[in-house]
Amino acid sequence: MCRKDDLDDPSKNCLPRVYYKRMPPTQAESVIKNIIREIGQECAAHGEIVSETLVAFMVKAVVLDPSNGFNMDRTLIKSDVQKLVKHCVTRLLDNKNPSLDTIKMQVYFDMNYTSREEFLEEHHRVLESRLGSVMREITDNRACAREELESLYRKIVSYVLLRSGLGSPTDIKIVREATAALQSVFPQAELGTFLTLSKKDKERQLKELTMIVTGIRLFNRDCGKGGEGIDDLPAILHEAIPATTQHIDSQLQIAQEQAYRYTAILEKVRQNPLMSVQLQPYMLKEALYNVRQYEIFLQIILSDIITCAQEVEMMIKKLGAQLEQLKMIVKSKTAVPTSQVFPIFIALSNLWTSFQDETVLISVLSNLTSHLEAFLGAHELLFPEKVLRGLLDGVTVKTDVFRMREQMEDRVNAEDFRKLEWLFPETTANFDKLLLQYRGFCAYTFATTDGLLLPGNSAIGILKYKDKYYTFNSRDAAYSFAENPENYINLITEKAKKNAELIQLLELHQQFETLIPYSQVKDVDKHIKPITKCESGTQTDTHILPPTIVRSYEWNEWELRRKAIKLANLRQKVTHSVQTDLSHMRRENGSQVYSSKDASTQSMKEGSTRVPRPQVYIAGLRGGRAKTTCGVKVNLTRAIDET
């Protein structure tokens, strides 16, 4: 897919190369334009107005479809061109085909959607271009007379109002308020100095004056002393963002429920092949592609609106803080230094410009959402509620979340694959940021069921194959795909040739480089590599080898000389000691003792001896009748044998 401006340049590759592969650039360009013009005229004759971009996409789709019989290796002759025009006109006039609605939706979204950064950049560029003529009238002015200077000052006031977007320059009340604010910082008497500046300095001063005047008017509005014609953008955004988000959420829910029902019917047809012939006129798969593409676009828009909501919430806090700070500075003061208030006025102006940008962005996204609904008309014609109920009889409709929960525990065992790498949430740091192939749909199911879209479950494992990442809806599907990935990738490519809307739906841009959408040209080469993580540890001996450091070694010979002189001088020194009041009676004492130790002896044999205790009795010591004491000694000691 390409932009309208690229159609005149064959190098943009918007159309098949067969048209100009063997032709000079000018001749190829002429052939391309003639084919597009002829197809457009044929459609207009039948009451259908189509854009040149849509025609270019349809030409590519018809040539890619192998059933149409176009040879990509030879230059098309006149009969081939007529055949091509006929096929394209037939497909462009088939208003009951969901495939055509999907292609129209993709072309419209690509032509009207841009990223947040690009949109704001383009928006500011358009504003600058619109103000270019007014600025030139001021910077190129050579006023001298009083009336001319007054006219120049009025132009500056108009420029300030137009650039700030705070009111119309035709409203007298708004003009008076803006003039009063401008005169407080740039009196009319300073026009003479202004006219002597260079053109760049004049432009810079005009922009700075606009921001200061805008800040003054916003502050006066907050204080209740002005603000004529200034809309309450924070309050407007506070109401508009939730309303837009709620509308998109409701549309997204309807689209998802419709996709779930189509998927359930297709699964039923898969189990009963006889139904496929009966349901062929209904184009179930084309209808599923249409509603899935609508769902994806809504999710992109919803993501941008959520970003807007976050930015607005942050800016509201900054706006309140800036106004509060300005009130504290200006409070009860008759004169305030410009160095203190001018930076805050400029900050207020920048914040308000951001509010204006968010307002325009929300409006554009809301309009884009509304226009996308027009590309869903074929569903009501092909699948009325009565028909759907009959097809869904006895079928269980499963949501994407329910399908993922069913297979959550049945994970891939990475050890079963030696040459393939599998990624899991616990081993990959940026697991949720990986760019999945086919927008996260199961590659195996799509290839083997002739185009059924089932969401892949990342929790069971992501296959990394040739720096691309594939998800699957079940463990069995993952194992089957891993056996021969190239075969299934080729099957998907061939299926996309028959249904050209799949090229953008499944992001098959590298296989079909000539159909890369303009909004995704910059993202084709972007590749997020997985950051794997695991638990690991290392242990190293502190000292593997014994230390060989000689502490007494000295490399400096002068240091050795100094030590030798010091030792030599010590021989002639006397040690002196002095006792002071602080050290009196505090000398150091030391004593050395030998602590007692236990000693014991152990022999090879343990033995003991015991001798009788001597017991001797002497009789007659107490005396008797005789004067002489005569003792009788009696030995009562027992014999050794008796002990």
Side-chain angles (χ1 to χ4, degrees):
M1 202 180 302
C2 57
R3 287 187 175 269
K4 182 178 179 180
D5 298 338
D6 298 338
L7 292 173
D8 297 334
D9 186 2
S11 64
K12 297 294 183 179
N13 248 356
C14 295
L15 293 178
R17 301 175 189 174
V18 294
Y19 294 125
Y20 48 84
K21 185 184 294 185
R22 302 175 185 176
M23 299 180 185
T26 54
Q27 185 178 357
E29 180 181 343
S30 176
V31 172
I32 293 171
K33 288 184 176 180
N34 290 335
I35 293 175
I36 293 176
R37 187 183 302 110
E38 185 176 353
I39 295 173
Q41 291 174 353
E42 287 286 338
C43 293
H46 291 81
E48 186 72 21
I49 305 299
V50 293
S51 65
E52 294 181 351
T53 308
L54 177 60
V55 174
F57 187 91
M58 187 57 67
V59 169
K60 182 65 180 181
V62 170
V63 173
L64 283 176
D65 192 347
S67 62
N68 294 326
F70 290 99
N71 190 350
M72 298 289 290
D73 296 328
R74 66 178 179 84
T75 305
L76 299 182
I77 59 178
K78 185 176 181 180
S79 59
D80 293 332
V81 173
Q82 293 176 350
K83 179 182 176 183
L84 175 62
V85 172
K86 181 180 179 181
H87 277 289
C88 291
V89 172
T90 302
R91 292 197 59 179
L92 288 170
L93 295 178
D94 188 5
N95 293 324
K96 295 183 179 181
N97 191 341
S99 178
L100 178 61
D101 285 341
T102 306
I103 293 175
K104 288 182 178 180
M105 185 194 306
Q106 293 171 346
V107 172
Y108 176 81
F109 189 82
D110 182 53
M111 295 295 291
N112 292 275
Y113 174 81
T114 183
S115 64
R116 175 188 176 86
E117 293 76 14
E118 291 181 351
F119 171 79
L120 295 178
E121 182 180 351
E122 179 69 14
H123 178 60
H124 293 161
R125 188 191 64 80
V126 171
L127 290 179
E128 290 290 343
S129 63
R130 291 178 179 177
L131 294 172
S133 59
V134 181
M135 178 174 283
R136 284 191 296 272
E137 290 181 8
I138 298 174
T139 55
D140 297 341
N141 198 295
R142 297 292 183 267
C144 296
R146 180 178 178 181
E147 292 79 7
E148 293 176 346
L149 291 174
E150 290 178 354
S151 175
L152 176 61
Y153 199 81
R154 287 193 295 270
K155 289 181 181 179
I156 294 176
V157 173
S158 299
Y159 174 83
V160 168
L161 288 173
L162 290 173
R163 186 176 185 83
S164 64
L166 303 183
S168 172
T170 58
D171 192 327
I172 187 63
K173 293 182 180 180
I174 297 174
V175 172
R176 287 176 180 175
E177 182 181 336
T179 303
L182 180 62
Q183 287 178 346
S184 64
V185 295
F186 182 71
Q188 189 171 345
E190 296 185 8
L191 277 177
T193 306
F194 175 80
L195 292 173
T196 60
L197 299 175
S198 63
K199 186 173 183 179
K200 289 186 178 180
D201 290 337
K202 289 178 182 178
E203 293 177 355
R204 179 187 56 79
Q205 188 168 356
L206 284 174
K207 294 178 181 178
E208 185 176 346
L209 287 173
T210 301
M211 289 189 288
I212 295 173
V213 171
T214 300
I216 293 173
R217 294 188 63 200
L218 291 172
F219 177 68
N220 291 338
R221 173 184 172 275
D222 186 69
C223 296
K225 300 179 180 178
E228 187 71 28
I230 301 178
D231 297 326
D232 191 358
L233 294 184
I236 294 174
L237 288 170
H238 190 70
E239 296 179 1
I241 291 178
T244 307
T245 305
Q246 184 178 1
H247 173 68
I248 295 178
D249 281 334
S250 62
Q251 292 297 115
L252 187 60
Q253 185 176 359
I254 294 173
Q256 289 174 341
E257 290 177 356
Q258 209 164 7
Y260 301 154
R261 297 165 85 180
Y262 290 157
T263 304
I265 296 173
L266 286 171
E267 287 181 320
K268 180 180 178 181
V269 173
R270 180 184 174 187
Q271 298 173 359
N272 186 5
L274 296 177
M275 291 182 61
S276 60
V277 180
Q278 301 175 1
L279 296 178
Q280 187 173 3
Y282 289 98
M283 295 177 284
L284 265 172
K285 291 178 183 176
E286 287 79 3
L288 177 62
Y289 302 155
N290 180 261
V291 74
R292 282 293 188 183
Q293 184 66 81
Y294 180 63
E295 176 191 358
I296 291 170
F297 286 157
L298 287 183
Q299 289 174 342
I300 294 173
I301 296 173
L302 184 60
S303 176
D304 287 347
I305 293 179
I306 292 174
T307 303
C308 289
Q310 295 172 348
E311 291 291 329
V312 169
E313 184 178 358
M314 180 181 63
M315 289 189 300
I316 289 176
K317 294 179 180 179
K318 288 184 178 179
L319 181 65
Q322 293 288 353
L323 290 172
E324 194 65 28
Q325 182 181 359
L326 197 55
K327 289 178 182 178
M328 295 298 295
I329 296 175
V330 180
K331 185 178 180 181
S332 65
K333 292 182 181 179
T334 56
V336 182
T338 57
S339 60
Q340 295 183 11
V341 294
F342 277 14
I344 303 179
F345 287 147
I346 294 174
L348 284 176
S349 175
N350 291 330
L351 277 174
W352 203 258
T353 301
S354 299
F355 279 117
Q356 293 172 333
D357 293 341
E358 299 298 333
T359 304
V360 176
L361 183 57
I362 288 294
S363 176
V364 171
L365 293 176
S366 179
N367 291 334
L368 183 60
T369 304
S370 301
H371 284 89
L372 287 178
E373 297 176 17
F375 302 105
L376 303 173
H379 295 279
E380 297 181 358
L381 297 175
L382 295 174
F383 304 102
E385 189 64 25
K386 184 178 181 180
V387 175
L388 275 179
R389 288 180 181 177
L391 295 174
L392 290 171
D393 187 22
V395 178
T396 302
V397 179
K398 300 179 181 179
T399 65
D400 291 347
V401 177
F402 182 80
R403 293 177 185 275
M404 293 182 183
R405 289 177 179 174
E406 278 186 328
Q407 305 292 335
M408 188 67 70
E409 301 299 330
D410 197 10
R411 303 182 63 179
V412 172
N413 186 9
E415 296 179 357
D416 296 339
F417 304 90
R418 295 182 178 180
K419 298 183 180 180
L420 296 176
E421 182 180 358
W422 291 87
L423 305 176
F424 300 95
E426 63 274 9
T427 60
T428 309
N430 57 342
F431 188 80
D432 296 333
K433 298 180 181 179
L434 296 178
L435 184 61
L436 302 177
Q437 291 294 302
Y438 313 126
R439 288 194 188 271
F441 291 108
C442 178
Y444 175 79
T445 304
F446 183 84
T448 56
T449 59
D450 194 27
L452 177 61
L453 292 178
L454 289 181
N457 188 359
S458 303
I460 67 175
I462 295 179
L463 173 63
K464 181 181 179 182
Y465 179 73
K466 292 185 177 180
D467 291 331
K468 295 181 176 62
Y469 309 99
Y470 301 86
T471 57
F472 309 94
N473 69 316
S474 66
R475 184 173 181 268
D476 295 338
Y479 275 70
S480 301
F481 184 89
E483 292 178 358
N484 191 1
E486 287 296 335
N487 177 45
Y488 298 108
I489 293 173
N490 293 333
L491 289 175
I492 294 173
T493 303
E494 292 301 319
K495 176 63 179 176
K497 291 181 180 179
K498 300 177 182 178
N499 296 82
E501 66 270 22
L502 292 172
I503 297 173
Q504 183 171 349
L505 175 61
L506 301 181
E507 295 183 321
L508 303 175
H509 305 137
Q510 294 181 349
Q511 291 89 331
F512 304 92
E513 294 181 357
T514 57
L515 282 176
I516 297 177
Y518 177 83
S519 59
Q520 300 177 9
V521 168
K522 298 180 180 179
D523 299 331
V524 173
D525 296 330
K526 290 184 178 180
H527 182 67
I528 301 176
K529 295 184 178 180
I531 303 174
T532 56
K533 55 184 180 179
C534 63
E535 295 184 1
S536 62
T538 58
Q539 183 175 357
T540 309
D541 293 339
T542 306
H543 299 292
I544 301 177
L545 300 176
T548 57
I549 300 174
V550 181
R551 301 294 179 182
S552 60
Y553 172 77
E554 190 64 56
W555 65 272
N556 193 344
E557 59 179 335
W558 291 99
E559 181 66 20
L560 293 174
R561 184 173 181 273
R562 186 187 66 79
K563 290 181 178 180
I565 293 174
K566 181 179 179 180
L567 292 174
N569 290 339
L570 284 176
R571 299 176 60 190
Q572 302 175 357
K573 302 298 180 183
V574 178
T575 303
H576 295 276
S577 63
V578 178
Q579 192 173 27
T580 64
D581 292 337
L582 296 176
S583 64
H584 178 58
M585 298 296 291
R586 293 185 182 180
R587 64 175 184 165
E588 295 181 357
N589 290 327
S591 61
Q592 185 176 7
V593 297
Y594 291 95
S595 57
S596 60
K597 60 180 181 179
D598 297 332
S600 61
T601 303
Q602 184 177 4
S603 62
M604 296 294 293
K605 182 178 180 181
E606 183 179 353
S608 63
T609 59
R610 185 178 181 184
V611 298
R613 182 179 180 182
Q615 292 182 353
V616 179
Y617 179 73
I618 300 175
L621 292 179
R622 296 183 178 180
R625 297 178 179 179
K627 295 181 179 181
T628 305
T629 302
C630 182
V632 179
K633 184 177 180 181
V634 180
N635 188 3
L636 299 177
T637 304
R638 300 179 65 182
I640 295 177
D641 298 338
E642 297 179 0
T643 58

